[in-house]
Short mmCIF file of all heavy atoms in Angstrom, two decimals:
data_model
loop_
_atom_site.label_atom_id
_atom_site.label_comp_id
_atom_site.label_asym_id
_atom_site.label_seq_id
_atom_site.Cartn_x
_atom_site.Cartn_y
_atom_site.Cartn_z
N TYR A 89 74.66 181.71 104.55
CA TYR A 89 74.73 181.41 103.12
C TYR A 89 73.58 182.10 102.39
O TYR A 89 72.41 181.98 102.77
CB TYR A 89 74.67 179.90 102.89
CG TYR A 89 75.94 179.20 103.35
CD1 TYR A 89 76.06 178.76 104.67
CD2 TYR A 89 77.01 179.02 102.49
CE1 TYR A 89 77.23 178.14 105.10
CE2 TYR A 89 78.18 178.39 102.92
CZ TYR A 89 78.27 177.97 104.22
OH TYR A 89 79.42 177.36 104.65
N LEU A 90 73.94 182.81 101.35
CA LEU A 90 72.97 183.58 100.57
C LEU A 90 72.95 183.10 99.13
O LEU A 90 73.99 182.93 98.51
CB LEU A 90 73.33 185.06 100.61
CG LEU A 90 73.07 185.76 101.94
CD1 LEU A 90 73.91 187.01 102.06
CD2 LEU A 90 71.59 186.09 102.08
N CYS A 91 71.77 182.92 98.62
CA CYS A 91 71.56 182.56 97.22
C CYS A 91 71.00 183.78 96.50
O CYS A 91 70.25 184.57 97.09
CB CYS A 91 70.57 181.39 97.15
SG CYS A 91 70.19 180.85 95.48
N ALA A 92 71.37 183.95 95.25
CA ALA A 92 70.89 185.09 94.48
C ALA A 92 70.66 184.66 93.04
O ALA A 92 71.16 183.63 92.59
CB ALA A 92 71.90 186.24 94.54
N SER A 93 69.91 185.47 92.32
CA SER A 93 69.71 185.23 90.90
C SER A 93 69.70 186.57 90.19
O SER A 93 69.48 187.63 90.80
CB SER A 93 68.41 184.47 90.63
OG SER A 93 67.28 185.30 90.86
N SER A 94 69.94 186.53 88.89
CA SER A 94 69.89 187.75 88.10
C SER A 94 69.50 187.43 86.67
O SER A 94 69.72 186.33 86.17
CB SER A 94 71.23 188.49 88.13
OG SER A 94 72.26 187.74 87.49
N GLN A 95 68.91 188.44 86.03
CA GLN A 95 68.49 188.29 84.63
C GLN A 95 69.70 188.13 83.72
O GLN A 95 69.73 187.28 82.84
CB GLN A 95 67.68 189.53 84.23
CG GLN A 95 67.11 189.49 82.85
CD GLN A 95 65.81 188.69 82.80
OE1 GLN A 95 65.39 188.13 83.80
NE2 GLN A 95 65.20 188.62 81.65
N ALA A 96 70.70 188.97 83.98
CA ALA A 96 71.94 188.92 83.19
C ALA A 96 73.10 188.74 84.15
O ALA A 96 73.03 189.13 85.31
CB ALA A 96 72.11 190.20 82.39
N ASP A 97 74.16 188.15 83.64
CA ASP A 97 75.29 187.81 84.48
C ASP A 97 75.79 188.99 85.30
O ASP A 97 76.20 190.01 84.74
CB ASP A 97 76.45 187.29 83.62
CG ASP A 97 76.07 186.02 82.89
OD1 ASP A 97 75.05 185.43 83.25
OD2 ASP A 97 76.80 185.65 81.96
N PHE A 98 75.76 188.85 86.60
CA PHE A 98 76.36 189.78 87.55
C PHE A 98 75.75 191.17 87.52
O PHE A 98 76.31 192.09 88.08
CB PHE A 98 77.87 189.86 87.35
CG PHE A 98 78.54 188.55 87.65
CD1 PHE A 98 79.05 187.76 86.63
CD2 PHE A 98 78.64 188.08 88.95
CE1 PHE A 98 79.65 186.53 86.91
CE2 PHE A 98 79.23 186.86 89.24
CZ PHE A 98 79.74 186.09 88.22
N TYR A 99 74.57 191.33 86.93
CA TYR A 99 73.87 192.59 87.05
C TYR A 99 72.95 192.53 88.26
O TYR A 99 73.15 191.71 89.15
CB TYR A 99 73.16 192.93 85.74
CG TYR A 99 74.09 193.63 84.77
CD1 TYR A 99 75.17 192.95 84.21
CD2 TYR A 99 73.95 194.97 84.47
CE1 TYR A 99 76.06 193.58 83.38
CE2 TYR A 99 74.82 195.61 83.62
CZ TYR A 99 75.89 194.91 83.07
OH TYR A 99 76.79 195.54 82.25
N GLU A 100 71.95 193.36 88.31
CA GLU A 100 71.12 193.46 89.50
C GLU A 100 70.76 192.07 90.01
O GLU A 100 70.11 191.29 89.32
CB GLU A 100 69.86 194.24 89.18
CG GLU A 100 68.89 194.33 90.33
CD GLU A 100 67.63 195.08 89.95
OE1 GLU A 100 67.63 195.69 88.88
OE2 GLU A 100 66.67 195.03 90.73
N GLN A 101 71.16 191.78 91.24
CA GLN A 101 70.93 190.47 91.81
C GLN A 101 69.81 190.52 92.84
O GLN A 101 69.72 191.47 93.63
CB GLN A 101 72.21 189.93 92.45
CG GLN A 101 73.33 189.71 91.44
CD GLN A 101 74.47 188.90 91.96
OE1 GLN A 101 74.47 188.42 93.09
NE2 GLN A 101 75.48 188.69 91.13
N TYR A 102 68.99 189.50 92.83
CA TYR A 102 67.91 189.34 93.79
C TYR A 102 68.34 188.25 94.76
O TYR A 102 68.70 187.15 94.34
CB TYR A 102 66.61 188.94 93.08
CG TYR A 102 66.03 190.03 92.22
CD1 TYR A 102 66.58 190.33 90.97
CD2 TYR A 102 64.93 190.77 92.65
CE1 TYR A 102 66.04 191.33 90.18
CE2 TYR A 102 64.38 191.77 91.86
CZ TYR A 102 64.95 192.04 90.63
OH TYR A 102 64.43 193.04 89.85
N PHE A 103 68.28 188.58 96.04
CA PHE A 103 68.77 187.66 97.06
C PHE A 103 67.63 186.98 97.80
O PHE A 103 66.56 187.57 98.01
CB PHE A 103 69.63 188.41 98.07
CG PHE A 103 71.02 188.70 97.59
CD1 PHE A 103 71.26 189.77 96.75
CD2 PHE A 103 72.08 187.89 97.95
CE1 PHE A 103 72.55 190.04 96.28
CE2 PHE A 103 73.36 188.14 97.49
CZ PHE A 103 73.60 189.23 96.65
N GLY A 104 67.90 185.75 98.21
CA GLY A 104 67.01 185.06 99.13
C GLY A 104 67.26 185.53 100.55
O GLY A 104 68.17 186.32 100.80
N PRO A 105 66.48 185.02 101.52
CA PRO A 105 66.60 185.46 102.90
C PRO A 105 67.80 184.87 103.63
O PRO A 105 68.13 185.30 104.73
CB PRO A 105 65.29 185.00 103.54
CG PRO A 105 64.90 183.82 102.71
CD PRO A 105 65.34 184.10 101.32
N GLY A 106 68.45 183.87 103.03
CA GLY A 106 69.64 183.30 103.64
C GLY A 106 69.36 182.09 104.52
O GLY A 106 68.25 181.90 105.02
N THR A 107 70.38 181.26 104.67
CA THR A 107 70.36 180.12 105.59
C THR A 107 71.57 180.24 106.50
O THR A 107 72.70 180.38 106.02
CB THR A 107 70.44 178.77 104.84
OG1 THR A 107 69.24 178.55 104.10
CG2 THR A 107 70.63 177.61 105.82
N ARG A 108 71.31 180.21 107.81
CA ARG A 108 72.41 180.27 108.77
C ARG A 108 72.76 178.84 109.17
O ARG A 108 71.96 178.16 109.81
CB ARG A 108 72.03 181.10 109.98
CG ARG A 108 73.22 181.39 110.89
CD ARG A 108 72.90 182.49 111.91
NE ARG A 108 72.56 183.75 111.31
CZ ARG A 108 73.43 184.64 110.84
NH1 ARG A 108 74.73 184.38 110.90
NH2 ARG A 108 73.02 185.78 110.34
N LEU A 109 73.94 178.41 108.78
CA LEU A 109 74.40 177.05 109.05
C LEU A 109 75.37 177.07 110.23
O LEU A 109 76.33 177.85 110.23
CB LEU A 109 75.10 176.47 107.82
CG LEU A 109 75.79 175.12 108.00
CD1 LEU A 109 74.77 174.02 108.31
CD2 LEU A 109 76.60 174.76 106.76
#
Side-chain angles (χ1 to χ4, degrees):
Chain A
Y89 290 88
L90 287 158
C91 179
S93 71
S94 65
Q95 183 82 357
D97 298 346
F98 296 107
Y99 275 68
E100 177 182 348
Q101 296 193 2
Y102 292 77
F103 282 80
T107 291
R108 190 167 299 279
L109 173 65

